[in-house]
Amino acid sequence: MDLLTNPIKDYAWGSRTAIAGLTGRPASGPEAEMWLGAHPSGPSRLTRDGSELTLADAIAADPVGALGQPSVDRFGERLPYLMKLIAVDRPLSLQVHPTPEQAADGFARGDVNYSDPWAKPEMICALTRFSGLAGFRAADQAAMLVERLHVEALKPVVTQLSRGDVLGALRVLLAWPGSRREVVESIVWAAGAVHQPDYELVRRLARQYPEDPAVLAPLLMRRHELAPGEALYLGAGVLHCYLDGFGVEIMAGSDNVLRAGLTSKPIDVDELLRITVVEAQPLPITPVEGAYVPPCPEFLLRRIVPGQGHVLDGSVPRIVVCTEGTVEVGSPIASHDRANPSHDQVKLHPGESVFLPASDGPIRLSGDGTAFSAEPQVG
């Protein structure tokens, strides 16, 4: 097993307290994500034989030993998932992820939107209360909410929604033909007269993005609130935007994101609309014996409160991160050799993590803390 050092992404929407507080150190600025995995945009690092290397390099040196033959057979010689600690203090961009076929095609064409040839299904498991927008409302409900603003400039949006054309309404907003600041100011003024949470969220977004008509998204989309321990899965084509909270996120090992609003990052309205599926909705995932198992093969997530002992079998590559208390990770004592305990024993504190190669065999977790373990769905 290998202790990991994990990169932290300092995106502007991140928190100054969540990740820093978990790891017991000060933050110099916003910290949005801690990446735990082997993706080339931010691989974890480890030390072997006195030398530092990336987790990707360690896997490449012994793919079958690190990943196990079943994972190599299904996903190739790469870690098929990426786990993150995600700390959302300000809303993320309005975004969507592609299907496997769309990702492979976009990558092959050299489309700059596709940095990987793989899809990016993802799941968020809340550590604190966590909220986001995901999936569209019914078109007639969205039309009613927008019409309630009584903003003359939004009539084309209402018209599209009244026809049941949600994507048409979104296209009007994202490719607004007139003064963007002027229409946002009109939306903000009108939303202030409606004392409901969805309209207040519109105003909140407008304070951050005063020239982006996509601030109207809360009236077009469904809002989701997760309590700690609850999880939501977002497959391909689901339009979404995380709003606030702290959680463990896991996804396929891809960084393919199509953005079209509420961001300073590059956007591609046409491509986002092309791959967005109006009917696609997020899926709540209820854990079974601590395991959150989404409908995709690249990953599952386990929440483990080990107490006196919890044994994970071998044969798959795992990353384990401690989120509370302390968790000891080590090989169980073989029944035929109880006088000689494991040669590996690591105590994890909050924010610390370890990579468990498939070749390590069964692993025992113990302690008074809580850990999350990521692994592919194979076997």
Side-chain angles (χ1 to χ4, degrees), residues 8 16 19-28 31 34:
I8 294 177
R16 293 175 179 268
I19 295 175
L22 182 74
T23 54
R25 54 172 184 73
S28 59
E31 296 180 334
M34 176 189 287

Side-chain angles (χ1 to χ4, degrees), residues 151 153-154 172-187 209-215:
V151 174
L154 294 179
V172 171
L173 283 175
L174 297 179
W176 193 259
S179 169
R180 298 169 71 88
R181 180 174 286 273
E182 183 177 331
V183 73
V184 171
E185 288 176 351
S186 299
I187 291 170
Y209 302 101
E211 297 188 6
D212 190 346
V215 300

Side-chain angles (χ1 to χ4, degrees), residues 94-96 133-136 170 221 234 237-241 272 276 280:
L94 197 63
Q95 60 187 265
V96 72
L133 302 172
F136 288 106
L170 188 61
M221 299 171 67
L234 299 102
V238 179
L239 188 69
H240 62 282
C241 166
L272 176 135
T276 296

Side-chain angles (χ1 to χ4, degrees), residues 310-366:
H310 179 101
V311 176
L312 296 169
D313 61 13
S315 77
V316 294
R318 289 189 174 91
I319 293 177
V320 175
V321 60
C322 177
T323 57
E324 185 179 357
T326 59
V327 175
E328 293 186 4
V329 184
S331 301
I333 300 172
S335 58
H336 63 276
D337 192 13
R338 294 186 181 275
N340 295 300
S342 165
H343 63 282
D344 279 328
Q345 187 79 23
V346 174
K347 180 177 285 188
L348 300 178
H349 298 92
E352 295 180 335
S353 59
V354 64
F355 175 64
L356 306 175
S359 58
D360 271 8
I363 296 294
R364 181 184 181 88
L365 278 64
S366 60

Side-chain angles (χ1 to χ4, degrees), residues 156-171:
V157 177
V158 175
T159 297
Q160 295 292 337
L161 292 171
S162 299
R163 295 171 178 167
D165 187 358
V166 179
L167 283 184
L170 188 61
R171 181 180 292 279

